[in-house]
Amino acid sequence: MRRRFGQALRVGVAAGAVALLKTSRWGGAAPEVVGELAFDGGSHPESIGLALRHLLQDGGGAGWPVSIVLADDLVRIWQVAPPAGSARLADLEAAAALRFQTLFGEPTGAWALSAGWDPAQPFLAAALPRHLLALIEQVCAAQRAPIVELVPQFVAGFNQWRGALKAGAWYGLVQQRVLTLAMIDGGAIRAVRASALPDGADLDWLAAHVAREALRLNLAAPARLAVSGHAPPAWNKGASHATLACHLLGQGQGSGWSDCARLAATGSRP
């Protein structure tokens, strides 16, 4: 596959599937699906690594810069409160590791941590399996495909749309009938929660769900929610609700695509 100036690849990595997209920074061209591959082995790192190698080889990805978007169920995402008086990165890393162990019941040895380290306010942290990360890096290096970004889907979506959020709004991402909410207060994410969408999840359900999550954190329920991803149709027909205004972001991108292709497109220009 011949690469033109400004073109790059995006790969979606999920349990049991990988997808490859071609993007361009110029001309307003929409992302294009190059290939997809389903495989046995679920989230097993070796299975994912083998599928990724075949996908890049078959898609002619040698020499192309690539962004990797990992499905959120392959990673861990959590919020960290910095210790009082912390001034060193080591203090923040220790706080993130302790919070990880508290939440997930295991040490961080098998996980690679990254975060928006901030000594002054709570920050978002993510952990990627070290073995999976190493295999992805090995495959891309063998294909001479430099990794320019490797990010969980929720983080990719939030980074893409955070500038479009109005004051006081929360952010949500829907993928494979899971809604992940970023509860924002004072301009900072206070918590991240993922919940499966029930059948018939309309605006009444959404407003009640958002209100419950706000109550759990002792926060005021937001009047606005901005949602990207594959939101239920009931949220996108000009419907309104008395307590919650739902604004859908990037609708129309990836219409008719598979879940994994939409995963790969998360964070790309519409």
Side-chain angles (χ1 to χ4, degrees):
M1 184 168 57
R2 186 175 180 180
R3 177 174 176 257
R4 297 180 179 178
F5 181 72
Q7 289 184 322
L9 297 177
R10 298 186 70 84
V11 175
V13 176
V18 288
L20 180 65
L21 270 61
K22 180 173 66 176
T23 64
S24 177
R25 294 173 55 191
W26 312 110
E32 174 187 341
V33 178
V34 176
E36 298 183 59
L37 180 62
F39 58 90
D40 296 328
S43 60
H44 198 276
E46 277 75 13
S47 299
I48 292 175
L50 181 61
L52 178 60
R53 178 167 64 84
H54 287 310
L55 184 73
L56 290 175
Q57 287 178 342
D58 295 345
W64 285 62
V66 60
S67 296
I68 309 287
V69 185
L70 297 176
D72 289 339
D73 58 2
L74 297 177
V75 305
R76 303 281 174 81
I77 300 174
W78 71 105
Q79 195 72 1
V80 182
S86 59
R88 301 180 305 158
L89 177 59
D91 297 331
L92 302 179
E93 291 174 336
L98 180 61
R99 184 61 176 161
F100 178 95
Q101 187 163 355
T102 300
L103 289 173
F104 305 113
E106 62 176 299
T108 59
W111 299 81
L113 272 60
S114 63
W117 311 107
D118 192 327
Q121 62 182 352
F123 55 86
L124 196 64
L128 315 179
R130 289 187 185 275
H131 187 33
L132 176 59
L133 178 60
L135 287 174
I136 290 174
E137 291 174 340
Q138 291 171 13
V139 169
C140 290
Q143 291 295 310
R144 304 186 310 280
I147 299 174
V148 297
E149 181 183 42
L150 197 155
V151 64
Q153 184 182 19
F154 175 79
V155 176
F158 180 72
N159 288 343
Q160 179 182 10
W161 296 110
R162 63 191 307 170
L165 300 181
K166 295 183 178 180
W170 286 8
Y171 169 74
L173 182 142
V174 177
Q175 175 74 350
Q176 292 187 306
R177 296 198 60 79
V178 173
L179 169 65
T180 304
L181 283 177
M183 300 157 206
I184 302 171
D185 183 53
I189 297 178
R190 298 303 177 187
V192 175
R193 294 186 187 273
S195 303
L197 295 178
D199 293 336
D202 56 12
L203 281 179
D204 288 334
W205 176 88
L206 181 63
H209 176 71
V210 168
R212 283 193 301 270
E213 295 299 333
L215 186 61
R216 288 176 182 174
L217 289 175
N218 197 27
L219 295 175
R224 299 184 183 89
L225 176 67
V227 180
S228 68
H230 196 211
W235 302 359
N236 191 30
K237 292 186 177 179
S240 61
H241 192 275
T243 62
L244 183 69
C246 180
H247 177 52
L248 301 186
L249 304 166
Q251 295 305 296
Q253 182 183 33
S255 178
W257 287 2
S258 68
D259 286 332
C260 197
R262 285 194 294 265
L263 166 67
T266 306
S268 66
R269 295 174 58 185

